Amino acid sequence: VQLQASGGGLVQAGDSLRLSCAGTGRYFNNHIWGWFRQAPGKERDFVAVISKTGSITDYAEFVKGRFTISRDDAKNAVYLQMDSLKPEDTAVYYCAAVLLRRYSSNDVRMTSQYDYWGQGTLVTVSS
């Protein structure tokens, strides 16, 4: 079972990027998907989450209104559309998936809850 993240790169402040994460080895249609990020020397932080039906999405305050998470179960994938990027968004972005019986808005923000992780994709935003 693997999660493969892609779409990172070097952009300027104000630009957009779309990250993708595709799962292989099993179906993730019943899983909650999350995106996290880790800047150099810092802990891995929650960015966004989407419930297994897609009806619930949640975002960290520092990306609300700029980032959008979505999922395509037919492609076994999750996406993160990032607009109005800022230099402080520079980080390695990780996708993650977990099968939870009950959606908890607190639990889904915790890295410890997730069973599957992608390898990360680097996003660098220059000023």
Side-chain angles (χ1 to χ4, degrees):
V1 178
Q2 277 192 321
L3 300 183
Q4 181 70 40
S6 62
L10 173 62
V11 297
Q12 293 187 331
D15 285 350
S16 297
L17 274 177
R18 186 183 190 229
L19 305 184
S20 300
C21 175
T24 59
R26 70 166 300 155
Y27 291 111
F28 289 92
N29 54 309
N30 287 324
H31 286 64
I32 293 167
W33 285 102
W35 283 99
F36 294 77
R37 73 186 189 186
Q38 189 166 17
K42 296 189 177 182
E43 293 185 349
R44 192 170 298 188
D45 291 329
F46 166 77
V47 174
V49 65
I50 187 165
S51 64
K52 60 182 181 180
T53 64
S55 61
I56 301 173
T57 58
D58 195 15
Y59 300 90
E61 282 299 322
F62 50 77
V63 303
K64 272 185 180 178
R66 300 189 298 122
F67 290 12
T68 303
I69 188 171
S70 61
R71 62 188 295 155
D72 185 340
D73 290 337
K75 296 183 178 179
N76 221 23
V78 64
Y79 307 97
L80 187 68
Q81 176 67 39
M82 306 187 296
D83 299 320
S84 303
L85 282 161
K86 304 175 181 180
E88 51 264 43
D89 294 319
T90 295
V92 177
Y93 284 72
Y94 297 90
C95 58
V98 63
L99 182 64
L100 288 179
R101 287 184 295 177
R102 184 178 67 88
Y103 182 92
S104 164
S105 59
N106 289 325
D107 289 350
V108 297
R109 290 171 170 251
M110 299 167 59
T111 58
S112 59
Q113 291 294 315
Y114 289 81
D115 298 317
Y116 304 99
W117 287 89
Q119 85 288 3
T121 184
L122 176 62
V123 173
T124 304
V125 185
S126 64
S127 58

